[in-house]
Structures are given as structure tokens and as C-alpha cells.
Amino acid sequence: MRDAYRRWRAWWDEVHAGHAGFIEAIANRWPRAAVLVASALTLYVEMVMVRWHATCFHAFAIFKNVSLLSCFLGLGVGYGLAGERKRVAIASFLPLLALQTAMFGILSNTALGKAKINPVAEQLIMARKGSAWSWLDAVDGDGFLAAVFILNAMMFVSLGHLAGRFVERLPKLQSYSLNLLGSLIGIGVFYLLSLAWTRPEVWIGVAALGTAPFLVGHRRTAALAATSMAVVLTALGLMGRYREVRYYSPYQVITLRLPDPAEPAPTTTMTIEVNHAFYQRIVDGSPRAVAQSPYTARQVRYYDLPYRLGGSPGDVLVVGAGTGNDVAAALRNGARSVTAVEIDPVIIDLGKRLHPERPFQDPRTKAVVNDARTFLRQTDKRFDTVIYGLLDSHTNLGAMTNVRLDSFVYTVEGFREAINRLRNEGLLVVSYLVLDSAQGDKLYAMLARVYRDRSPRVFRSSGGTVFVTGPGLGRTPPRLDGVDEVTDQFRHLSADAEVATDDWPFFYMQRRTYPVTYAVMILILLSLSAWFVRRHLGLPRLSTSANGVFLFLGAGFMLIETKAVTELGLVFGNTWSVIAVAVSSILLMGFLANQWILRGGPVRNGVSFALLAVTLLLGLLVTRMSMSGAAVPAPKVIMPLVLTLPLFFAGLVFSSEVGRHSSIGDALSANLFGAMLGGFLEYNSMYWGFSSLYPLGIFLCARTARHARVAAAPA
């Protein structure tokens, strides 16, 4: 065995040694193009892996930052090696990707792949009962996530090293500008592929094409790349299952599970899964289908319940329209018009094509592909009935953002905006599958807070629960045949419930508590990161004042960026397009700051830090105003300006310090490790709220200023 390993290692080293000359020739001949392409490839693959991980295993949709932080770790090590290791390891990128894909392909067909791994006790999956959680969930989840964390980081070392070797060939500020431009190109490419609903085979194929200029000039590496891609495509093929079709929307993987005619109901209906978690069954509520199936009859009674509460439904708004079950129910019960809002274009497309009642084709229906909060804020129309469908997707939007699709819909502010869209006798009806009583208490408390004139009423029918409030409560009947009123189960227990707000939008956390199981996972990842960095770079390098500037600046930048993306999503909508534009704008701020330094020279640190502090405090003030309900003047102008200006001044500090630093590779490496630190600190928002990210960011920027003063002091 040892001899076999030595032979393989000798062959592996020979492949990389022979490839080194080809990479050096590229660096000498086309240094600018090489920096641009390598930087675009780096950020593109980062976004692919974050997105792909979440579509493969539900655990990544729960523990949202593992994939992103592993990318930062690998890139940081790769950039750090650029100045001392000449042999570029890009030839190992596709083999390591093939290894990761093969592991995912195999595990997807095991119990680990089929189970809804939840390593977090404090946060529910699909509101599953908290009592169903055990520490075995943490062991399984943490072990799996830690293994992927290291394997993915190893793969990104090769990408970071490639980009780092190229940026060292040019003047530091010039290479940094090209690095930022390449990053913008990488985001743009992935954004376009996401809009086209492309599959992982396409995402990874484009990544392979991106590596081609660095591989095709060497026969052995080209053959290794071709073999690796064959393994990747085979492994991806293993991840599909019989009788299911997968669609990849800009947000998530949508699985259409086809009915099996040999099975009894409810398996004879088509089922939709979101990121491998149950989302919705397409229900045919026609009289013929109801007469043939008792199961269908029970489902239809539940969907019809909101329209038995207040007479004629009038103009109906359905929030979270899904494939159209709620829309069809509104039409069956005589709605004058139905506005169906659904954020995911794939889900609404499936509804248009597959729902047997064809509710989206009805002339009374207007389908809107948009974020629910954005629609509620921007529409001037009022409704007689607002229906919240079952929005329980509990899913991440995408890379570099912690916004979940449901998060800012299920908040006090979100429900208040829905109440404001009701007419004088209107009703707000929230359908919710209450599997844990604490979730029901929280929802009741939130609705009681947004409409104080009357206490909400709660009804249960066919296994589902409906919460009702609004000015039309007075016209709801005292009793409904076949329906149980369960208001008393929530009325007295909801007083102590921790409600979800725009600042603390963690609807699936039962109470505001520092998540111990998150902390355990963070300690595991921090320990692995320290070992990984020490093994490749050695830790003392990060402790210098010069690198400390970039370390703390990266951490502060990450926190401020997170808060900026969150707030911009609230102002303009938590849609994929808005988030992509927000992240691109943040990178653009860094590019503009770098251009300022290139043309005017370094800015005095005292000026930059003073302006950074002022804009951070201004951002904190505006955020507090927004949370308190005070109107922010011209929010679509003021908010983007206030939220992105700190990033511009942080960019001035970064570019000024890069100009003084001995190695841009070391600077980028320390900055990425700082971003990792910021990513870990971001989890504090689960207890303190998103507004806490500003004080944390201010503290980290103060640490940056201190290290900058020490680094600038004469020896």
C-alpha cells in the first residue's frame, strides 16, 4: 500500500511539475488577461459550489455559511501560497471536484442523503417538532458538514493559488482592479445561467471551460481534466431518482415527483419538493375529483376554509401562490379577482402547466412573479381577502446572503404591511402547518400585535391550521360546521412568545437564545480552519500588524456587506436579481475606491477611517429609524447610498494599504481569512439581531485602524 501511494505521489508531482512551465508562460505573455480570467473563475466557482451544495443536501440550506466559509478558507490559503510556492496546483482542481461530486452522488442514495439533516437544535426544519431532535442529528450533521468543509477548501486552494500567482506579476493596485473586474464577470455569468434555469451539469461545465486555458497546453493535465469531467457527469447522473424531474430555479432545486398509478392516494397526485423537503401536492378540487377521493375532499375543505369565514371573498391576494391550490380555491368560491404572488418562477410555471383546474389561465387571475414584501409595499391596490399560503420553504436565497425566502414575510412588519392593504371589512388569513405548538404561539402573538382591535381567531380543519385577523373579524360566524375553533389553545400561551421582526427574522427559532449547536459547529469549523492554515501557511504570519489590517478589515467588510444586502433586499425586494445587483454594487464600490487610489495616490488613513466611522454611524441611525417605524425620506435613494458608502471608504483603506504592503497575495489572503471571521461573527445576529452587525463592524474597523497605525509606525 505504501509503495502504491509513493508511485501515485511521484506521478502526481510529475504532472504538476510538467504543467508549471506552461502556467509561467501564460503569466509572462498575458498577465492582465490571466488575472481577469482567473479572478472570474474563482468567484464563479465559489457561487456554483454554494448554490450546488444547498441543492444537494438540505443541511446546507439550514447551516447556510459552511460552503461559503470553506471557499474563503481555501482561497485564503491559495493566495497566501502565491509568493512562496512556484508550482501552481490548478491541475488538481477538477480531480478534487470529481471526488466531491462522486461523494455527493453516492451519499444522495443513502440514508444520509434522504434524511433531513438538521445539526441545529434551536431552529426547526419545516417547523418539525423540537422534541424530534436529538444530539445524533448534530453528530451526523456536523461530521458531514465538516468533511465537505475541508474537501471543498482543498479544491479552492488551487484556484486561489492560480489567481495569486498571476496578481503577483502586475503592479498591486492594477492587479487588484482586474481582480475585482473579474469577480464582477464571474457573478454576471452565474447570474445569467441562473436566470436560464440551467442545471449543475451546465454550471460545472462552464467552470471546466474556465479552467481550459490553463490546462489544454499540457497533455497530461488535459487528459486528467477530461477523465475528471467524466466522473463528474457520471456522479451527477447518480443523484436523480425514478419518477421525479428536477428544475433549478434561481433560488433552489424544485423536484416534481410524478404520481405512481399503482399506489393509492395521496401518492396519485403530483408532489413538489423544494431543496428535497416537501412543499406542496397539486390538488384537483373539481367536483369530479372530490367525489372520487376522500383524501382530495379533505384537502379541498382545508383550502376552501378561508372563504367560509367572511362571506364573499371579493378581491383576493394570495401570498405564496405556489402551484395554484389557493388560487383555485379562491376562484371556486366566487372571487372577483385573484392576484397570485409567487417569488419562484419555476413553481408558478409548473402550476400553469400542470394544475388540473388551470387557475392561472382564468381571466380573473393575475400572476405576479415577485417577492411578497416588495409587492405589498409597492402596490396601491386594496383587497378584501389576503391569503398567506404555506410558504414553509425554509430556504436560502443564494450565495453571500443570509436572507431566506420566507424570513421577511413572516415578521411583525410584514404582517402589518399586509393588514394595511386590506379594505375596511377585509380579512388576513394565514395558513400554517402547526407541527410544534411554540410556532403556533409565535404566529398568534405576531398577528395579535399587528391588529390590536380584535384578538385573532384560529381554526383547524383536515389537519391544517388557519389564523385569521383583520377589520373583518366581526363578520366571521361564531361557529362553522365541521371546523374546530382552537383559539383558546394559543390565546393564553402566546404572551411570552418571541416574535419575529425585520431585525430578528428567525421565525423558525422558537425563542431568542444564543444557538449552542451553532456554536459547537462554529468551534469545529474554527478548529479545522486553524489546522488547515497552520499546515499550509503557519499561523504567525497572520499575527503581524500589516496583515492584521486586512484581517480585521475583511471581517468588518463581511458584516457590513451582510447588513447592506439584507437592508437593500427589504427596500427593493428579496429576489435573486436584487441580491445579485446588491452584491455586484458592493464589488463595484471596491473597484471605484481602487480607481480613486490609482489616480490620486493613497488617502491618509485618518481621513478614510473618519469617513468610514461617520458612514457606519449614519447607517446605524437610519437602520434604527427604519426599525422604529419612522419614515426614511426617499428610501430608494437614501438607503442604497447609506448602506454602500461605508464599503467605498473601506475600499479606500484596503487599496491604500495594499499599495504599502509587500505582497498583494498576502493581503488578499489575510482579507479572506477576515471575511471568514466575519462570517462566523454573523451568527451573533441569531441572538442580537441584524442591527448588532453595525456595532460589531465598527469595533472591527477600530481594530483595523489600530493595526494600520502600528504598521505605519517606524521600526
Side-chain angles (χ1 to χ4, degrees):
M1 180 69 72
R2 188 174 298 176
D3 289 341
Y5 173 77
R6 279 200 293 264
R7 286 195 298 271
W8 172 82
R9 186 71 195 186
W11 174 83
W12 187 251
D13 290 340
E14 185 182 347
V15 168
H16 284 82
H19 187 232
F22 176 69
I23 293 294
E24 291 300 310
I26 293 176
N28 292 330
R29 195 169 181 181
W30 298 295
R32 292 176 178 80
V35 171
L36 195 68
V37 174
S39 300
L41 176 66
T42 295
L43 194 60
Y44 171 78
V45 176
E46 180 184 306
M47 299 192 78
V48 166
M49 298 312 293
V50 172
R51 173 77 195 285
W52 182 58
H53 283 171
T55 63
C56 290
F57 292 91
H58 198 263
F60 291 103
I62 302 299
F63 211 105
K64 52 189 171 48
N65 268 351
V66 168
S67 303
L68 182 62
L69 295 177
S70 68
C71 297
F72 287 165
L73 175 62
L75 291 174
V77 169
Y79 275 112
L81 291 172
E84 53 188 59
R85 183 184 292 178
K86 305 300 181 186
R87 190 185 72 186
V88 176
I90 188 60
S92 64
F93 167 67
L94 287 176
L96 286 170
L97 177 60
L99 177 62
Q100 190 174 162
T101 312
M103 182 181 78
F104 276 30
I106 294 169
L107 290 179
S108 68
N109 291 290
T110 66
L112 186 67
K114 295 173 183 176
K116 305 300 181 290
I117 304 171
N118 181 19
V120 184
E122 295 86 356
Q123 192 160 310
L124 307 176
I125 292 181
M126 293 289 291
R128 188 182 67 174
K129 286 187 177 181
S131 59
W133 190 91
S134 76
W135 279 97
L136 289 176
D137 293 296
V139 172
D140 288 345
D142 291 353
F144 171 68
L145 292 172
V148 176
F149 182 80
I150 289 298
L151 185 58
N152 195 59
M154 290 170 59
M155 187 180 76
F156 272 85
V157 170
S158 60
L159 291 175
H161 194 208
L162 176 73
R165 288 292 295 163
F166 289 142
V167 298
E168 294 283 3
R169 294 301 185 98
L170 295 172
K172 291 189 281 290
L173 293 180
Q174 185 183 125
S175 63
Y176 182 50
S177 282
L178 290 169
N179 180 270
L180 290 169
L181 278 178
S183 298
L184 285 166
I185 292 171
I187 288 179
V189 171
F190 189 70
Y191 170 69
L192 293 175
L193 291 176
S194 296
L195 283 183
W197 305 355
T198 53
R199 299 175 58 84
E201 293 88 338
V202 176
W203 308 342
I204 295 175
V206 171
L209 287 175
T211 63
F214 309 111
L215 299 175
V216 294
H218 190 257
R219 183 180 300 175
R220 282 189 174 182
T221 53
L224 186 61
T227 304
S228 300
M229 283 306 297
V231 173
V232 167
L233 294 175
T234 302
L236 289 174
L238 293 174
M239 301 185 78
R241 293 190 178 93
Y242 179 60
R243 289 193 179 277
E244 71 175 31
V245 182
R246 292 184 180 178
Y247 302 87
Y248 291 82
S249 79
Y251 302 99
Q252 53 213 350
V253 57
I254 311 295
T255 303
L256 173 66
R257 194 172 296 280
L258 302 175
D260 186 347
E263 294 291 332
T267 53
T268 53
T269 61
M270 286 180 283
T271 302
I272 306 293
E273 293 181 356
V274 171
N275 278 2
H276 312 293
F278 173 78
Y279 174 71
Q280 189 177 65
R281 286 191 177 94
I282 299 178
V283 176
D284 183 359
S286 63
R288 178 187 56 82
V290 170
Q292 291 178 349
S293 169
Y295 168 80
T296 300
R298 288 196 302 272
Q299 291 292 296
V300 169
R301 282 197 297 273
Y302 175 69
Y303 282 108
D304 285 348
L305 175 58
Y307 308 102
R308 298 175 59 192
L309 298 173
S312 173
D315 294 314
V316 178
L317 169 64
V318 178
V319 175
T323 55
N325 290 344
D326 295 281
V327 180
L331 296 171
R332 284 196 306 269
N333 286 274
R336 185 165 50 244
S337 70
V338 181
T339 302
V341 180
E342 169 61 50
I343 194 172
D344 198 305
V346 169
I347 291 177
I348 207 165
D349 178 71
L350 289 173
K352 288 178 178 179
R353 292 192 289 112
L354 301 176
H355 201 289
E357 294 182 82
R358 302 177 66 80
F360 292 109
Q361 284 78 9
D362 193 290
R364 292 172 289 171
T365 301
K366 179 184 178 182
V368 179
V369 181
N370 201 354
D371 168 50
R373 284 292 296 275
T374 304
F375 179 82
L376 287 167
R377 286 181 169 186
Q378 294 179 352
T379 186
D380 57 359
K381 186 175 179 181
R382 292 190 175 272
F383 301 91
D384 299 290
T385 312
V386 175
I387 305 289
Y388 275 59
L390 295 169
L391 294 100
D392 261 350
S393 65
H394 197 65
T395 301
N396 276 355
L397 263 176
M400 289 180 285
T401 169
N402 54 14
V403 180
R404 288 188 170 92
L405 294 185
D406 306 335
S407 288
F408 293 99
V409 177
Y410 285 129
T411 67
V412 170
E413 294 87 348
F415 285 134
R416 186 172 289 126
E417 289 171 4
I419 289 286
N420 291 337
R421 298 266 63 83
L422 289 173
R423 293 195 174 111
N424 291 336
E425 292 295 314
L427 283 178
L428 171 63
V429 183
V430 181
S431 299
Y432 194 76
L433 188 60
V434 179
L435 298 179
D436 188 282
S437 59
Q439 287 299 109
D441 296 341
K442 174 181 285 192
L443 185 53
Y444 185 93
M446 293 164 67
L447 294 176
R449 181 173 295 192
V450 299
Y451 187 74
R452 298 182 181 275
D453 291 354
R454 286 178 177 268
S455 297
R457 297 181 69 185
V458 188
F459 302 92
R460 188 166 290 152
S461 173
S462 304
T465 308
V466 170
F467 295 76
V468 187
T469 190
L473 269 176
R475 59 189 176 92
T476 56
R479 296 186 62 182
L480 291 170
D481 293 338
V483 177
D484 297 323
E485 181 165 1
V486 291
T487 304
D488 288 341
Q489 294 181 15
F490 303 97
R491 178 179 291 144
H492 303 296
L493 298 176
S494 62
D496 298 327
E498 185 74 43
V499 299
T501 65
D502 284 352
D503 184 53
W504 191 77
F506 300 102
F507 181 67
Y508 295 97
M509 286 186 68
Q510 294 172 299
R511 64 190 62 85
R512 188 189 291 255
T513 179
Y514 195 86
V516 175
T517 42
Y518 265 88
V520 170
M521 187 63 195
I522 288 170
L523 287 174
I524 292 171
L525 297 185
L526 280 173
S527 301
L528 288 173
S529 301
W531 167 80
F532 197 79
V533 173
R534 186 179 183 85
R535 182 175 182 272
H536 289 90
L537 297 177
L539 293 175
R541 174 188 295 188
L542 292 175
S543 63
T544 65
S545 291
N547 283 336
V549 172
F550 300 104
L551 180 76
F552 287 107
L553 190 62
F557 190 95
M558 183 70 173
L559 293 176
I560 298 166
E561 176 188 357
T562 298
K563 181 59 179 169
V565 170
T566 301
E567 290 290 335
L568 289 173
L570 278 171
V571 173
F572 294 98
N574 285 311
T575 62
W576 171 256
S577 300
V578 170
I579 299 303
V581 170
V583 174
S584 299
S585 299
I586 289 164
L587 287 173
L588 184 61
M589 280 292 178
F591 176 77
L592 293 175
N594 196 61
Q595 291 298 304
W596 185 294
I597 301 299
L598 268 173
R599 284 161 173 71
V603 177
R604 283 191 304 154
N605 274 342
V607 174
S608 297
F609 279 113
L611 292 171
L612 177 58
V614 168
T615 52
L616 284 174
L617 290 172
L618 183 61
L620 181 60
L621 175 64
V622 171
T623 300
R624 293 291 186 187
M625 285 176 58
S626 178
M627 286 193 307
S628 67
V632 177
K636 292 194 174 182
V637 176
I638 298 298
M639 291 297 283
L641 191 64
V642 167
L643 293 168
T644 54
L645 267 180
L647 301 169
F648 175 78
F649 294 121
L652 288 181
V653 174
F654 185 91
S655 295
S656 296
E657 290 298 318
V658 161
R660 304 183 184 104
H661 203 277
S662 59
S663 167
I664 186 173
D666 280 356
L668 291 171
S669 175
N671 193 247
L672 284 162
F673 292 141
M676 279 190 68
L677 175 61
F680 286 125
L681 290 174
E682 179 197 324
Y683 286 109
N684 285 290
S685 63
M686 297 185 71
Y687 182 80
W688 300 105
F690 283 129
S691 60
S692 67
L693 299 184
Y694 267 117
L696 268 175
I698 292 170
F699 169 76
L700 290 167
C701 289
R703 297 293 300 174
T704 305
R706 181 179 179 278
H707 279 275
R709 285 196 303 272
V710 174

